Amino acid sequence: GLTNTAVQLKMFEVTSCEESIVFGPGILDGCAAGVPVSVIIQAKDTNGADRWCGMDEFSVAMKRELSKQEIKDGVADDPIEVEIKDQGNGTYRCTYTLPKGGTYEVSVAFAGTFNGLAGPCRG
């Protein structure tokens, strides 16, 4: 005989770098060196709606602003390790520890997972 089976599917739009946002204490002035700090990435689709699942790929990089003397002396900081934890709900917790005081630039980029729009995210 014939059997009917109902299957419920939940579809999603892919992530867009132009709509995804970065927020949290790790992008504010005044972070203490030597203390772990985090930022949150909220993945959003091309319509600006929050993504409700994970599996996207992001990269996070920090670069310290060097003084003129450091530039002249050829100083180069070691890369700062960032742990990116997929929360499974469209958010990603990024935790890092700044090794020394100074002014840092935080760059967050979406890798284009699932053929989404890749590029830098705003914060």
Side-chain angles (χ1 to χ4, degrees):
L2 297 175
T3 303
N4 288 336
T5 303
V7 177
Q8 191 172 32
L9 300 175
K10 191 169 184 181
M11 306 298 284
F12 63 85
E13 295 280 333
V14 296
T15 297
S16 168
C17 69
E18 292 178 337
E19 298 296 329
S20 296
I21 59 170
V22 181
F23 60 93
I27 59 171
L28 300 176
D29 289 340
C31 293
V35 178
V37 65
S38 295
V39 297
I40 302 294
I41 302 168
Q42 172 61 68
K44 293 182 175 274
D45 66 23
T46 55
N47 297 311
D50 291 347
R51 293 253 295 142
W52 50 264
C53 64
M55 300 182 292
D56 286 319
E57 292 181 24
F58 291 90
S59 63
V60 179
M62 263 77 52
K63 183 176 181 182
R64 187 173 64 88
E65 187 177 292
L66 300 176
S67 69
K68 290 180 183 178
Q69 185 62 47
E70 288 175 314
I71 293 169
K72 183 179 177 184
D73 293 344
V75 171
D77 288 341
D78 290 331
I80 297 171
E81 184 178 324
V82 179
E83 177 189 358
I84 302 174
K85 184 171 186 330
D86 184 344
Q87 305 288 89
N89 62 2
T91 64
Y92 301 79
R93 178 180 300 277
C94 310
T95 304
Y96 51 89
T97 302
L98 301 175
K100 60 176 91 171
T103 300
Y104 288 81
E105 178 181 306
V106 180
S107 302
V108 178
F110 172 56
T113 319
F114 306 113
N115 292 320
L117 182 60
C121 299
R122 59 193 168 96

